[in-house]
Amino acid sequence: MTRVFSGVKPTGHLTLGNYLGAMRRWAEVDQHAADALFCVVDLHALTVDHDPARVRRLSRQAATLLLAAGLDPERCTVFVQSHVDEHARLSYVLECVATDGEMRRMIQYKEKAAREQRRGGSVRLSLLTYPVLMAADILAYGAGEVPVGDDQRQHVELARDLAVRFNQRYGLTFVVPRATKPGVAARVMNLQDPASKMGKSDDVGPGIVYLLDEPDVVRKKVMRAVTDSGREVVYDREARPGLANLLEILAACTGGDPERLSGAYSSYGELKRDTAEAVVEVLRPVQDRHKELCADPAYVERVLREGAERARGMARPRVDAAYRAIGLLPAAEREAAGAGV
């Protein structure tokens, strides 16, 4: 089976966009069709100023929500990135293969660095090098496919480049991955700014539906969503982005087609009410399961512990091979352990 790696970064509360755009497909398709690993990439959350307690809290919440969304630890591997040392081990080796120019060309680095500078903050070195850590996340497991949105494709291309370069210089070690576009994944935009993606890192959320929002909060946010001038309900992503966003959310929740759905409504209010109720119903089972899991923290801890052990077993042989290939002296205990396998 093809091996797939995907992750969520605990920099904010997970949103409807995370669920409809990725997590639901992971649960319904990817964990059944591939040897799949799903990771809370907590090391990536350290690249900007952060509250340590909040990162820990959001990491635990993200892991619980992955399980609540339907990931089955009997079918896939669910774990926390920092629990598997091979991510950091491989990241440094790949930094020795990457170039400064490659890092500085990363679009997300340019954008995030500029944002930090506007705030008067300093730009951490880890923000520059984190695409290499992302490459290590992928290459450590021999993942052949990485389902990502357009904003992350550049990082997967970097992983490909580093894999090819390492293989050419030091011998065949890594699978060269390819970015895949998530099939039928919804593109959920901010309800107050339909030109921007519904992101979990935003500090305030009048346009963001969080997975753990109470039903009345969800309804209020959807009913206050920005729409467009005019009265006719039509689906036009370019000319009517506010309406298009609502129609796409409704379609994603109900399995419909946004263009066909537009013909069923004569008013914005009616569309908003139906969209709000559809979102509430889609989130209900996730929220119910989340409550059950929160009542059994020992189960979640066990899933993460066993997931990390399984992930470590997959990653360590390849990372050890990379260390040998690049010229590092093998540790005696690792050699002994490898001989006993």
Side-chain angles (χ1 to χ4, degrees):
M1 296 177 71
T2 299
R3 182 167 288 172
V4 171
F5 179 94
S6 293
V8 292
K9 187 163 57 174
T11 51
H13 298 287
L14 295 178
T15 72
L16 179 68
N18 296 124
Y19 180 68
L20 295 180
M23 293 165 62
R24 184 171 65 174
R25 178 176 172 81
W26 296 349
E28 294 179 353
V29 179
D30 290 343
Q31 71 172 338
H32 301 283
D35 179 10
L37 299 101
F38 302 104
C39 181
V40 178
V41 286
D42 54 344
L43 293 175
H44 292 295
L46 310 185
T47 60
V48 294
D49 190 35
H50 62 276
D51 173 18
R54 185 171 187 264
V55 171
R56 283 192 291 271
R57 186 171 63 252
L58 289 174
S59 296
R60 186 174 292 107
Q61 184 185 88
T64 305
L65 281 168
L66 287 176
L67 298 174
L71 293 186
D72 180 355
E74 297 298 320
R75 293 183 176 273
C76 64
T77 303
V78 181
F79 67 106
V80 176
Q81 180 188 33
S82 63
H83 295 178
V84 180
D85 293 345
E86 277 61 34
H87 292 258
R89 289 181 62 215
L90 183 56
S91 182
Y92 180 74
V93 166
L94 293 178
E95 283 184 18
C96 297
V97 178
T99 68
D100 176 75
E102 285 176 314
M103 297 300 97
R104 296 188 186 279
R105 285 196 295 272
M106 293 289 116
I107 294 171
Q108 288 206 7
Y109 168 71
K110 293 179 181 179
E111 293 175 347
K112 291 181 179 180
R115 188 159 58 242
E116 285 296 313
Q117 290 169 344
R118 285 195 298 270
R119 293 172 177 169
S122 57
V123 179
R124 300 186 180 196
L125 178 61
S126 57
L127 184 62
L128 178 66
T129 60
Y130 97 92
V132 178
L133 177 57
M134 185 180 293
D137 297 338
I138 299 165
L139 298 182
Y141 297 100
E145 295 183 3
V146 187
V148 292
D150 291 338
D151 59 334
Q152 294 292 336
R153 292 186 75 86
Q154 188 183 32
H155 291 155
V156 180
E157 288 304 314
L158 175 69
R160 288 176 55 84
D161 291 343
L162 294 180
V164 169
R165 191 177 305 155
F166 190 101
N167 289 345
Q168 290 175 342
R169 291 180 181 176
Y170 305 113
L172 185 61
T173 306
F174 297 115
V175 173
V176 180
R178 64 187 181 93
T180 58
K181 193 175 183 65
V184 300
R187 182 171 179 244
V188 182
M189 312 304 284
N190 190 297
L191 295 174
Q192 293 297 316
D193 179 13
S196 301
K197 192 169 68 171
M198 187 181 284
K200 64 181 179 298
S201 300
D202 297 335
D203 295 325
V204 292
I208 305 168
V209 175
Y210 296 104
L211 293 188
L212 297 179
D213 277 346
E214 294 290 334
D216 285 346
V217 174
V218 173
R219 293 184 183 101
K220 185 179 295 184
K221 288 179 177 179
V222 176
M223 292 304 295
R224 292 179 178 176
V226 167
T227 50
D228 311 285
S229 59
R231 297 181 179 180
E232 187 180 3
V233 178
V234 295
Y235 178 68
D236 187 330
R237 166 53 66 184
E238 298 300 322
R240 312 286 285 278
L243 278 177
N245 190 35
L246 289 171
L247 287 165
E248 288 176 358
I249 292 172
L250 178 60
C253 290
T254 62
D257 175 81
E259 191 160 359
R260 290 181 181 177
L261 285 170
S262 66
Y265 293 95
S266 57
S267 71
Y268 294 174
E270 185 183 6
L271 171 61
K272 287 182 175 181
R273 281 191 294 273
D274 281 3
T275 302
E277 292 307 316
V279 172
V280 167
E281 290 307 311
V282 158
L283 296 185
R284 191 185 306 281
V286 177
Q287 294 179 351
D288 289 346
R289 179 59 176 151
H290 178 264
K291 290 177 184 176
E292 293 174 1
L293 291 168
C294 286
D296 189 6
Y299 170 75
V300 177
E301 292 297 325
R302 179 168 61 82
V303 167
L304 295 179
R305 182 175 62 254
E306 293 177 356
E309 290 173 0
R310 193 155 59 240
R312 197 176 299 118
M314 293 185 216
R316 180 166 290 176
R318 185 170 282 101
V319 176
D320 285 350
Y323 268 50
R324 290 193 298 270
I326 205 169
L328 298 177
L329 191 65
E333 61 271 21
R334 287 194 188 278
E335 287 289 282
V341 173

